[in-house]
Every structure is written in structure tokens, then in C-alpha cells.
Amino acid sequence: LRLAIFLRHAEEFGVQVPEKGIFIEVNYEELIDHIVIGPDINGEEKDRLNQVCKEFGLETRLQDSSLTYTPLFV
């Protein structure tokens, strides 16, 4: 989920909006409860995701999707 701000509305009131958008500092630990890894992610992508999460102190929030496992009832 990304924070969305209606920039056109801001521009109508004379706010100068940078070409690459507006960056806002956030506390990732407060913002992110958990990160679900999709069942189709390959090993290389999963390794990269783990690396990025470690950089931000979020590695404990990673969890595999329940769709990864064999269903209990078929």
C-alpha cells in the first residue's frame, strides 16, 4: 500500500510538486505489520526481498503466503 496524495489538487492551490513526487519520512516498524511472500516468487527474488527487509529491520515481518502450502482439504 502506498500513501496517495491528490497532487493535481495541490497544484491548483499553487503548490510546486517535484517531478519525482513527494517523499515523506515514515517509521516502517509502525507502518508495516507483516509482509506476505507470494507463492510464485523465485529464490533470487526472495533473497533480494530478505536483503531489503534486513536493511530496514523488517526481516521478522516476512511470512510465506498460505497459498504456498498444500491445501488441508481437496
Side-chain angles (χ1 to χ4, degrees), residues 16-72:
Q16 293 292 322
V17 178
E19 185 177 316
K20 292 186 179 184
I22 300 169
F23 293 92
I24 301 169
E25 288 188 35
V26 297
N27 181 331
Y28 297 110
E29 292 180 9
E30 281 188 37
L31 184 66
I32 299 171
D33 185 47
H34 59 276
I35 302 166
V36 180
I37 301 173
D40 295 331
I41 192 170
N42 66 41
E44 186 177 315
E45 291 171 330
K46 190 171 184 176
D47 290 344
R48 177 69 181 130
L49 180 59
N50 278 308
Q51 180 183 5
V52 170
C53 286
K54 280 184 181 180
E55 289 174 21
F56 290 94
L58 299 170
E59 65 271 16
T60 60
R61 310 217 179 182
L62 283 172
Q63 64 186 48
D64 289 324
S65 168
S66 61
L67 299 175
T68 303
Y69 309 107
T70 304
L72 295 175

